[in-house]
Amino acid sequence: MSVRRLLAAASAALLAGLGLATSAAAHVVDQPAGVGAYTLTAGRLWSVVAALLGLAGVVVGGLALARSTGRIGTGDGRGGAVVAMAAGLAGAVVGGLVVAAADGGPGTGYGIVGGFVALVVGLVAMVLGGLVLARSRRTG
């Protein structure tokens, strides 16, 4: 996969993440006064979605890394690396928007803890994808 296609995929994921997170940021601002610990608010929902996107990126990145080392399957794992980087980027962007839109701290219903988790997991997915791409360039 060329660098041009990789940049196009990353920009498409970024635009999709921004489009989805814009409505989340608008809903996060309108929180009810008494939010319980188990109430699923819009901020918590978007932070969970972002964390799951990042987690999917980590799983795909880990499988691509195993493929690039020759432990499973054949090939260099470049497709999985691109998917991991795109999912990690989308998760990190949505998580960052949730954190940026939050007015309170943990336990207020804004999803700030999940947003930080999504940021970290998304960054891990992007690092795994980048590692696989670097390894495939070196061996290819």
Side-chain angles (χ1 to χ4, degrees), residues 16-17 19-28 40-53 90-91 94-98 110-111 114-115 118:
L20 292 174
T22 307
S23 62
H27 290 294
V28 170
L40 185 62
T41 61
R44 289 177 179 167
L45 177 68
W46 280 105
S47 65
V48 166
V49 167
L52 288 176
L53 265 173
V94 174
L97 285 173
V98 168
Y110 288 102

Side-chain angles (χ1 to χ4, degrees), residues 29-108:
V29 176
D30 300 328
Q31 292 293 330
V35 175
Y38 297 106
T39 305
L40 185 62
T41 61
R44 289 177 179 167
L45 177 68
W46 280 105
S47 65
V48 166
V49 167
L52 288 176
L53 265 173
L55 184 63
V58 167
V59 168
V60 171
L63 289 173
L65 185 62
R67 176 168 290 211
S68 71
T69 59
R71 293 179 187 226
I72 59 170
T74 59
D76 56 1
R78 292 186 71 165
V82 172
V83 170
M85 290 181 71
L89 179 67
V93 166
V94 174
L97 285 173
V98 168
V99 169
D103 284 337
T108 58

Side-chain angles (χ1 to χ4, degrees), residues 1-10 78-79 82 133 136-137:
M1 176 171 269
S2 69
V3 174
R4 195 178 309 167
R5 286 188 183 178
L6 176 64
L7 291 175
R78 292 186 71 165
V82 172
L133 282 178
S136 70
R137 284 190 195 113

